[in-house]
Amino acid sequence: MQARPFKVLGIQQIAIGGLSKDILKRLWVDALGLEVTGNFRSERENVDEDILSMGQGPYKVEVDLMQPINPEGKPAVHATPLNHIGLWVDDLPKALEWLATQGVRMAPGGIRKGAAGYDIAFLHPKANDEFPIAGEGVLIELVQAPPEVIAALG
């Protein structure tokens, strides 16, 4: 394998899907005490999510509670309860370019703004003949770390 031109700095988020955010919030907000810090809704991604957080500064981790806008639509954000994990990376474009050369399968959509405002891209949960490396059932979101996170965790 070639030298890796980027660094994974830490966990940025954990996304959990279900048919109802209200049911998920009974555990994550009411019982565990996480704070709701934002909301995101996207018809294109079939998601209505509440953004929760724990920790502070560069050690803050999001817990995104997601429900589908249309339970019959795609993507089915509720079909896999642990929908995806997000990893901070120091250079998202370099990471994607290098991972593709290593045979890692990317999910459609390329780099785009995520719910929390950071640039994101996804690694596909399933490998194929062309790209034999994937998340083996787990969708992985790479998140461009802001300078303060890079300084603290890099």
Side-chain angles (χ1 to χ4, degrees):
M1 235 182 219
Q2 302 170 342
R4 188 176 302 104
F6 68 95
K7 194 176 191 183
V8 174
L9 303 171
I11 293 176
Q12 186 267 338
Q13 69 173 268
I14 300 166
I16 299 166
L19 284 172
S20 168
K21 295 184 303 182
D22 292 332
I23 291 171
L24 295 169
K25 286 197 293 191
R26 288 191 304 210
L27 172 66
W28 292 95
V29 175
D30 300 342
L32 296 176
L34 275 67
E35 176 186 356
V36 177
T37 58
N39 306 92
F40 177 74
R41 186 177 172 92
S42 171
E43 299 285 336
R44 181 179 141 234
E45 298 190 20
N46 191 32
V47 69
D48 178 9
E49 81 184 55
D50 287 342
I51 301 167
L52 285 53
S53 66
M54 61 180 147
Q56 296 179 20
Y59 304 102
K60 182 169 94 172
V61 175
E62 285 181 22
V63 175
D64 296 344
L65 304 181
M66 306 183 309
Q67 70 183 29
I69 295 170
N70 173 3
E72 305 301 317
K74 298 285 182 191
V77 299
H78 62 294
T80 305
L82 174 56
N83 185 276
H84 66 271
I85 61 170
L87 303 175
W88 288 122
V89 296
D90 63 348
D91 192 323
L92 183 58
K94 278 186 183 173
L96 295 179
E97 181 182 332
W98 186 83
L99 289 168
T101 68
Q102 303 304 304
V104 176
R105 185 175 180 198
M106 304 300 160
I111 296 175
R112 58 195 178 274
K113 284 280 181 228
Y118 302 110
D119 284 349
I120 63 163
F122 288 93
L123 306 184
H124 205 284
K126 295 179 182 174
N128 62 21
D129 290 339
E130 184 180 0
F131 295 99
I133 301 171
E136 295 303 316
V138 177
L139 184 62
I140 300 167
E141 180 178 11
L142 299 183
V143 183
Q144 175 60 59
E148 63 273 14
V149 171
I150 294 170
L153 299 176

